[in-house]
Amino acid sequence: MDAPLAPKARYDVAVVGGGITGCATAYELARAGASVALLERHEIGTEASGRNAGSLHGQIQYEPFRTRGEGWARGFLPALAFLHASLERWSTLSGELGTDLEVTRHGGLLLVEDQAELPFVEAKIALERATGVDSRLLDAGELRELAPWAAPSVVAAGFCPVEGKANPMLAAPAFARRAVAAGAEVFTRTAVTAVEPAAGEVRIVTPLRTFAADQVVLASGRRLSAQAAGLGARLAVSDEPVQVCATEPVEPLIHHLVYYAGERLTLKQARAGTVLIGGGWPARTDPTTGYPLVDMASLRSNLRVALTVAPQLAGALVIRSWAGVGNGTPDEGPLLGTLRSCDRVHAGLFPYMGLTAGPLMGEVLASLVQRRQPPVDLSPFAPERFEDR
Ligand SMILES: Cc1cc2nc3c(=O)[nH]c(=O)nc-3n(C[C@H](O)[C@H](O)[C@H](O)COP(=O)(O)OP(=O)(O)OC[C@H]3O[C@@H](n4cnc5c(N)ncnc54)[C@H](O)[C@@H]3O)c2cc1C
């Protein structure tokens, strides 16, 4: 995306970060008539937003449900409702953005091998149903009708009908293109080094020039907490380097987003036929550059788990593996709102499932800039909610 030669003297809004959150925000604001500068230190969608596994999540994740318990899961329900609302946007997003994002929503399967897990899966389903989603438990026969490839050892599955998949590499650039078409200016290879409130505006400092804007949206993913700290706000964001791999294309086999109750796994088949295998297995961090690297032991473990539930994949070659940095928050809920320390600056980060949340994150952040009532209640998501604890 070509950067304009000369930036305006002042923008209504500067958006920092060209991942799905920032691009969706720039799109919403530009189409509402705001003058927008989108600043990205690399290229659009090259960090987490372009490296993720493309799962469109709508269920409470099983691992935190088991390890953190039902109390945590109840607290997570507002975030789950947020994901559900964002999933609705995904259904029509390809048409809206004029790009086929390869979205399908056939539902998600949480495969269960060990009968002892069933009471937990049922309790999780009951909570999901409380949010109005028709999650249900499938017995072995019902499961095999949907997933004949599932290993004989799989005895049941939770089914969450709202889930699906998309091609992650397409989404952020599609939002950015539509933002530009609506008048936004995109400055790539433009690293923001400071965000400084000044009289009546905010200055956004980069190595080549300083931008001025009425308001700023921080959508900088793993850099968010450092940038907010410069404004006196303490945001609790952890970095979690994780990895994904893809097989060579195989015949159409798997139509759902697949998880496993026994160990970490997400598995789905992309339209191209490749099977994407992930689930949050840890990557390494290059000590010199700080960038994530694929960890071979993790890759082997991830593949072992995948073959446990889908043994038919044993003949498929893994052709690519990559790593990215995901983000966590202490309660796994998003950080989303206007900073207490500077009401011209708004922050947005949805941990772990930020691809799914991206379209609604953009809508909410735009509403904050426009000083409109956000489409969802943001009180559970206050960015500085951990500051006082
Ligand atoms: C391997 C992996 C698999 C995942 N799988 C899934 C999945 O299947 N489904 C799902 O929903 N989510 C998944 N996620 C999470 C999801 O990818 C992220 O939550 C989401 O992409 C976050 O989007 P973002 O725009 O907020 O952040 P990012 O995509 O990280 O974008 C932030 C942008 O800000 C830029 N930036 C940072 N600092 C500066 C600066 N100083 N100046 C200018 N620009 C700056 C960065 O270069 C980056 O492009 C996964 C994450 C990873 C790493």
Side-chain angles (χ1 to χ4, degrees), residues 135-149:
S135 289
R136 55 191 183 274
L137 190 69
L138 306 179
D139 64 24
E142 293 168 318
L143 166 66
R144 287 207 166 67
E145 277 178 28
L146 295 181
W149 48 264

Side-chain angles (χ1 to χ4, degrees), residues 61-78:
Q61 295 301 294
Y62 191 64
E63 184 180 329
F65 183 81
R66 284 293 265 123
T67 54
R68 304 180 71 149
E70 207 164 316
W72 164 80
R74 283 185 195 286
F76 185 75
L77 291 181

Side-chain angles (χ1 to χ4, degrees), residues 16-23 39-57 190-193 219-224 227 240-244 266 268 322-327 348-357 361:
V16 183
I20 191 166
T21 307
C23 293
L39 312 179
E40 163 56 50
R41 66 179 173 152
H42 300 310
E43 298 293 337
I44 295 297
T46 46
E47 292 244 16
S49 294
R51 294 165 184 244
N52 62 69
S55 309
L56 296 181
H57 298 286
T190 302
V192 172
T193 52
S220 43
R222 58 189 291 218
R223 308 287 166 184
L224 177 62
Q227 286 174 353
E240 308 207 352
V242 287
Q243 60 190 49
V244 188
T266 61
K268 71 196 67 74
W322 64 95
V325 180
N327 297 112
L349 177 139
F350 201 110
Y352 304 111
M353 295 181 276
L355 173 74
T356 311
M361 292 290 283

